[in-house]
Amino acid sequence: MTTDIGKFKHDSPMSGTLRMERMPHIWCPGCGIGSEVNAFAEAIKRSGIDPKKLVVVSGIGCTGRVAGYVDFDSIHTTHGRAIPVATGIKLANPELTVVVFSGEGDLTGIGGNHLIHAARRNMDLVVICNNNFTYGMTGGQVTPTTPHSAIASTTPYGNYEYPFSLPFLVDAAGATYIARWTSMDVRNVTQSIEEALAHKGFSFIEIISPCTTLYLRRNRLGDGVDMLQHYQENTVLKHGCDTRETAIDFQGKIVIGKFVDKVKPTYLEAVDQCCVKLVGDDYQLYGKTIPEREAEEKAEKEKVAARRAAVLAEQTEANE
Amino acid sequence: MFFNNLKQLHGKVYINETWCKGCGFCVQFCPTNVLDISSDYNAKGYHPPYAKNPEKCHDCQYCQIICPEFSIFVTRDDENERGVTEK
Amino acid sequence: MKTVPAEPKGVDSGPHFMDGDQAIAEGALAAGCRFFAGYPITPSTETAERFAERAPEVGALFIQMEDELASIAALIGAAWGGRKAMTVTCGPGFSLMVENIGLAAMTETPLVIANVQRGGPSTGLPTLTAQQDMMQARYGSHGDYAIIALSPDSPQECFDITVEAFNLSEFYRVPVIILTDETVGHMHEKVVIPPAEQIQVVPRNNYSGPKEDFRPYKFDCQGGHPMARAGDGYNFHITGLTHDERGYPVMTAEQSKIVVTHLMEKIHGNADKIIRLDEDQIDGADVVVVSYGITSRIAIKAIQDARKEGIKVGSLRLITIWPFCEKRIRELAPKIKAFVVPEINYGQMVLEVERCAGGKCETISVNHCGGAVHDPEVILAAIRKANQ
């Protein structure tokens, strides 16, 4: 049982995307967050975006630790405040791609107000929400998404509250890209994150994932492998599904797929439209006019496309 | 070849036993049953996987992406007709 | 502190007639603030309104967030995104902001918050004045940290102090709080904004060296350490957890000692450089009136009347509230009969004065429960009593 850790770190395809010096991480055996981070890292590589221009923001909790493990500019904020911090970064420097990676307790419980308002503004952010139906870091309490009747440490006799259906929530609030997968569907997660990174506007990706230590154990649902098999057997792929039909019952069917993908001006585009009417064509934000910013954006898009093409060509070549 | 001229790919699995927490995802969901749980323990007391049938690896990289510990990766193995495993 | 002249675009030079709130917005724009996130709350809203109005022509960005929690969180993001950022609020909003004042202090993020105080507790007196948040500004968030707080007494000083607040915030990488009050905030007076070249501002200190040498923090109990800007390729990590100089979590008693000592001493160790006081006839005085904000302007009348009666009264006006002018109070205490401390609260800064006086002279609190300013007669009576 000897592994040359230094060599492994160096050779791993994740080096350059993850802070290898911080491994191993704190997540439990069978937790889905690691798989999601793998999918995220893969999506970043394939998307062709400049890793320098990527910022990852997390809140508090198990998923909140993602920011500390990814090798990009990263901020680990206070509980629930990942989205407003990300909003601040995006508005301070619109060139950046800002990803919020956090848990459902953080994003929809304590940070629920920020979630719906960022969606309402169509703020150009990618929000990846790890939904494991529990507050893992504090010992398995009930969350806004815990299914009815599920047991949590603070609902020891079964949950009698009604849960949020997150795709429906963010759809109602105005999100322009919405997808849901399980941590089993890592390939789809990768693809969805790639699409969301290229999408202009508020993107929301919910990933259902097992919390082995708390949610599964307390509800006697077995271990991580059992849960992933449950996902395999009980997910229903329905692209474009009406988000009103995406509610999750305890151990019931889980609708997965890409539900929403539409075009609407982002917050910054709306600001530009208003200000250019007011100030005229020489309107500047942070010293740059709209045509200047558009030219920069176009140039960056071309670079991204070139990098993406190179990655795809490499893969195609490998498969021939 | 039964489908155009697609070549059967071979992969080489690299396993970092030290970080492994024995969740079993890679073993359970490998489509060609390359991996199996080892009877050995690592320093944390988990049973890491090992490549029981390395020659069956087709470089699909599913174990790499599903591994929550970032402890497996797969590379293309062009030289060897049959896949091998390195520790 | 290395300073450069202000960027002319944000400076609306010349004489103006405006209230304290508006002067804060102008001060922010002059100091190079280009990002404002806020939430409406009386009596501070005029600052947000002025900034929102001026933002398009200056090339700045104003966003009204969903609440104060989000407003200050957005400032932290904007600061690491490379912009100077500010928000404005009063008591109830400040109560929501203290959460992320802690994060800003811990992550050493420069930002400016103006608290235009109104009467409390809770919703209290939305349109009436008070100075009841002095201790909250200092100790509001949990844990040990230090901030800087400044208190202007006029719209002109609102402008000047806002520029200073940004400069201190940038240099010490700390949240700076402008503790003004409803009276100053809503008082219209002449405000002269100097030409841009006469306004000295501290530019953002962005790191530009090799990546391998980059550290977001340096625990040397000093200011002036550069920060990275998101997108510059330094892959910084910042966290509210106790961290090392790389920004990575290290949760031990040893590391906590290093971090907390740095956060405290960065401000308290440099108190002499930070503190600004406005003193009048202190030498040879028997009684010293310690006041700040609008109360210092009421105290002038009482001091003048006392002097007419032959009482030797000095005035010590706190421009810097936090860090507290501990050294100066300790120097004066053995030389005088008493400190008189009028303030529009039940007695907050008087506790600091009393602590630093250490029993070497009397300390008389002239408290007020908010909603109005003092009657100068009350302060005069306290001065007479102090002189006995």
Side-chain angles (χ1 to χ4, degrees):
Chain A
M1 290 275 156
T2 47
T3 308
D4 182 345
I5 300 284
K7 189 175 184 305
F8 184 88
K9 282 182 184 173
H10 177 266
D11 294 345
S12 168
M14 296 303 152
S15 81
T17 341
L18 302 181
R19 297 183 199 265
M20 282 300 186
E21 71 271 27
R22 298 210 58 217
M23 299 299 162
H25 56 62
I26 61 157
W27 298 309
C28 303
C31 172
I33 303 171
S35 313
E36 293 162 22
V37 173
N38 256 334
F40 173 65
E42 183 65 23
I44 299 299
K45 275 189 275 179
R46 288 167 50 151
S47 70
I49 62 168
D50 183 355
K52 275 187 186 176
K53 300 285 176 199
L54 179 72
V55 187
V56 178
V57 187
S58 291
I60 293 293
C62 295
T63 322
R65 292 301 187 91
V66 169
Y69 294 124
V70 293
D71 199 6
F72 309 113
D73 287 331
S74 53
I75 304 188
H76 180 217
T77 66
T78 39
H79 201 10
R81 316 296 165 225
I83 288 179
V85 170
T87 299
I89 298 174
K90 180 69 193 177
L91 296 183
N93 186 353
E95 288 171 27
L96 301 174
T97 303
V98 186
V99 178
V100 174
F101 206 134
S102 212
E104 90 285 7
D106 185 76
L107 289 171
T108 73
I110 187 166
N113 198 27
H114 310 310
L115 175 76
I116 57 173
H117 282 278
R120 173 178 67 79
R121 295 185 183 106
N122 200 21
M123 194 60 68
D124 193 8
L125 303 173
V126 178
V127 178
I128 302 171
C129 175
N130 171 67
N131 183 0
N132 55 11
F133 307 125
T134 200
Y135 283 99
M137 191 70 94
T138 47
Q141 291 78 23
V142 68
T143 72
T145 62
T146 309
H148 200 79
S149 83
I151 291 170
S153 71
T154 46
T155 53
Y157 313 113
N159 178 25
Y160 34 72
E161 291 188 19
Y162 301 102
F164 270 144
S165 168
L166 300 183
F168 182 36
L169 176 73
V170 292
D171 190 12
T176 46
Y177 181 99
I178 305 169
R180 178 201 272 159
W181 303 102
T182 73
S183 68
M184 176 77 206
D185 314 312
V186 266
R187 301 278 186 216
N188 306 79
V189 173
T190 308
Q191 199 190 343
S192 256
I193 296 174
E194 260 190 89
E195 286 174 11
L197 289 167
H199 177 81
K200 272 200 108 172
F202 189 84
S203 313
F204 185 84
I205 302 167
E206 178 188 11
I207 310 171
I208 311 288
S209 120
C211 172
T212 47
T213 310
L214 298 157
Y215 185 76
L216 299 194
R217 181 172 59 84
R218 214 166 248 126
N219 286 288
R220 301 181 190 279
L221 299 175
D223 62 12
V225 168
D226 294 326
M227 203 59 195
L228 260 50
Q229 278 175 334
H230 170 81
Y231 295 156
Q232 267 188 322
E233 289 154 18
N234 290 286
T235 46
V236 182
L237 180 67
K238 260 193 199 172
H239 286 305
C241 177
D242 187 332
T243 53
R244 285 175 293 188
E245 289 154 21
T246 58
I248 297 175
D249 293 329
F250 183 64
Q251 290 300 91
K253 296 281 179 201
I254 300 170
V255 181
I256 55 170
K258 181 169 79 176
F259 305 138
V260 176
D261 189 355
K262 62 187 176 191
V263 180
K264 196 166 89 175
T266 66
Y267 177 84
L268 273 167
E269 285 166 349
V271 169
D272 280 348
Q273 275 172 20
C274 171
C275 291
V276 83
K277 260 188 233 161
L278 185 78
V279 184
D281 286 340
D282 46 347
Y283 164 67
Q284 295 182 348
L285 178 63
Y286 307 135
K288 285 179 191 169
T289 63
I290 295 175
E292 278 169 2
R293 277 184 281 141
E294 278 172 354
E296 277 178 16
E297 200 182 316
K298 202 177 151 211
E300 186 60 33
K301 248 189 189 159
E302 279 163 13
K303 274 190 227 162
V304 168
R307 275 192 291 261
R308 190 175 154 75
V311 173
L312 290 178
E314 208 173 282
Q315 280 178 351
T316 319
E317 193 185 319
N319 289 330
E320 268 165 8
Chain B
M1 281 295 159
F2 61 91
F3 191 70
N4 288 343
N5 57 348
L6 277 177
K7 188 172 72 180
Q8 182 67 290
L9 299 178
H10 288 284
K12 203 192 250 184
V13 187
Y14 293 81
I15 299 169
N16 178 350
E17 289 138 355
T18 315
W19 293 353
C20 177
K21 292 177 190 158
C23 70
F25 288 177
C26 53
V27 176
Q28 182 68 34
F29 299 108
C30 172
T32 53
N33 294 318
V34 173
L35 301 161
D36 199 0
I37 301 240
S38 162
S39 56
D40 292 349
Y41 292 95
N42 69 9
K44 288 182 185 141
Y46 296 113
H47 295 289
Y50 77 106
K52 192 178 168 189
N53 305 308
E55 71 286 352
K56 285 188 180 172
C57 178
H58 289 166
D59 192 30
C60 79
Q61 302 182 357
Y62 193 75
C63 57
Q64 173 183 318
I65 198 162
I66 197 77
C67 174
E69 306 297 326
F70 317 117
S71 294
I72 300 186
F73 66 86
V74 186
T75 56
R76 266 289 298 287
D77 185 23
D78 289 326
E79 292 81 38
N80 300 308
E81 187 63 24
R82 307 170 86 77
V84 292
T85 307
E86 273 198 8
K87 283 186 179 175
Chain C
M1 287 195 283
K2 194 188 122 223
T3 58
V4 295
E7 194 194 334
K9 207 164 183 187
V11 186
D12 191 7
S13 301
H16 300 263
F17 185 63
M18 62 170 78
D19 70 14
D21 285 353
Q22 292 166 338
I24 290 173
E26 289 299 334
L29 288 166
C33 173
R34 293 292 178 267
F35 184 86
F36 190 112
Y39 187 80
I41 188 165
T42 308
S44 71
T45 316
E46 288 83 348
T47 308
E49 288 167 352
R50 180 86 171 193
F51 201 100
E53 200 181 321
R54 292 261 284 129
E57 65 192 64
V58 177
L61 203 118
F62 170 88
I63 180 168
Q64 183 175 311
M65 294 301 284
E66 50 273 19
D67 54 30
E68 285 90 348
L69 302 162
S71 303
I72 186 162
L75 299 195
I76 294 173
W80 287 94
R83 304 289 161 206
K84 290 187 184 178
M86 93 165 293
T87 188
V88 69
T89 190
C90 76
F94 198 81
S95 292
L96 297 184
M97 287 185 184
V98 291
E99 174 195 53
N100 277 330
I101 287 175
L103 179 65
M106 187 58 147
T107 56
E108 300 186 48
T109 306
L111 48 91
V112 174
I113 305 154
N115 179 353
V116 186
Q117 298 170 88
R118 72 188 208 190
S122 190
T123 315
L125 305 165
T127 59
L128 301 175
T129 196
Q131 297 176 317
Q132 297 168 340
D133 308 339
M134 311 307 288
M135 287 291 173
Q136 186 195 28
R138 169 66 187 85
Y139 295 105
S141 200
H142 54 275
D144 283 324
Y145 66 96
I147 48 91
I148 297 172
L150 309 167
S151 184
D153 73 345
S154 65
Q156 178 67 52
E157 209 174 62
C158 281
F159 177 88
D160 300 340
I161 268 187
T162 306
V163 175
E164 192 181 336
F166 273 96
N167 289 349
L168 291 167
S169 175
E170 290 297 324
F171 184 76
Y172 290 103
R173 278 178 57 183
V174 70
V176 175
I177 297 160
I178 300 168
L179 275 170
T180 179
D181 45 69
E182 186 275 333
T183 317
V184 172
H186 282 165
M187 179 193 288
H188 277 77
E189 275 187 351
K190 184 178 178 184
V191 175
V192 181
I193 299 180
E197 63 272 17
Q198 287 176 22
I199 301 171
Q200 289 298 310
V201 302
V202 175
R204 172 62 53 84
N205 186 2
N206 284 321
Y207 181 79
S208 58
K211 187 177 171 184
E212 56 275 17
D213 296 339
F214 170 69
R215 297 285 180 277
Y217 304 109
K218 189 175 179 194
F219 302 128
D220 58 354
C221 302
Q222 294 301 325
H225 189 62
M227 61 193 284
R229 184 170 51 181
D232 280 358
Y234 292 109
N235 293 9
F236 63 75
H237 179 63
I238 63 162
T239 171
L241 290 166
T242 300
H243 47 261
D244 61 16
E245 294 195 342
R246 297 172 303 171
Y248 293 171
V250 178
M251 286 165 278
T252 61
E254 293 75 25
Q255 192 61 27
S256 186
K257 184 179 175 187
I258 294 168
V259 173
V260 173
T261 308
H262 168 69
L263 294 180
M264 298 294 286
E265 289 308 312
K266 180 173 76 169
I267 305 303
H268 291 168
N270 289 301
D272 288 348
K273 291 181 206 158
I274 297 167
I275 292 172
R276 276 210 302 128
L277 301 168
D278 181 8
E279 299 187 357
D280 178 42
Q281 300 188 28
I282 295 262
D283 287 344
D286 289 327
V287 178
V288 171
V289 177
V290 181
S291 60
Y292 52 88
I294 189 61
T295 312
S296 61
R297 290 177 72 164
I298 310 299
I300 292 170
K301 166 80 175 144
I303 290 166
Q304 283 170 348
D305 288 352
R307 281 175 188 159
K308 278 182 205 152
E309 291 176 16
I311 306 172
K312 288 183 191 160
V313 196
S315 166
L316 180 66
R317 181 167 76 88
L318 310 179
I319 297 172
T320 309
I321 304 288
W322 304 111
F324 186 68
C325 55
E326 199 164 325
K327 201 166 124 191
R328 188 65 178 137
I329 299 290
R330 283 191 206 286
E331 274 168 15
L332 293 175
K335 299 178 191 164
I336 63 168
K337 288 183 189 168
F339 286 112
V340 172
V341 189
E343 48 186 341
I344 312 176
N345 55 51
Y346 211 70
Q348 295 189 7
M349 296 311 289
V350 69
L351 301 173
E352 281 294 290
V353 176
E354 198 167 11
R355 174 179 71 82
C356 299
K360 297 204 170 82
C361 71
E362 216 184 324
T363 306
I364 298 170
S365 170
V366 188
N367 61 25
H368 189 301
C369 293
V373 295
H374 286 81
D375 181 345
E377 281 299 320
V378 179
I379 303 173
L380 179 62
I383 295 171
R384 286 194 196 111
K385 192 179 149 208
N387 193 43
Q388 278 166 10

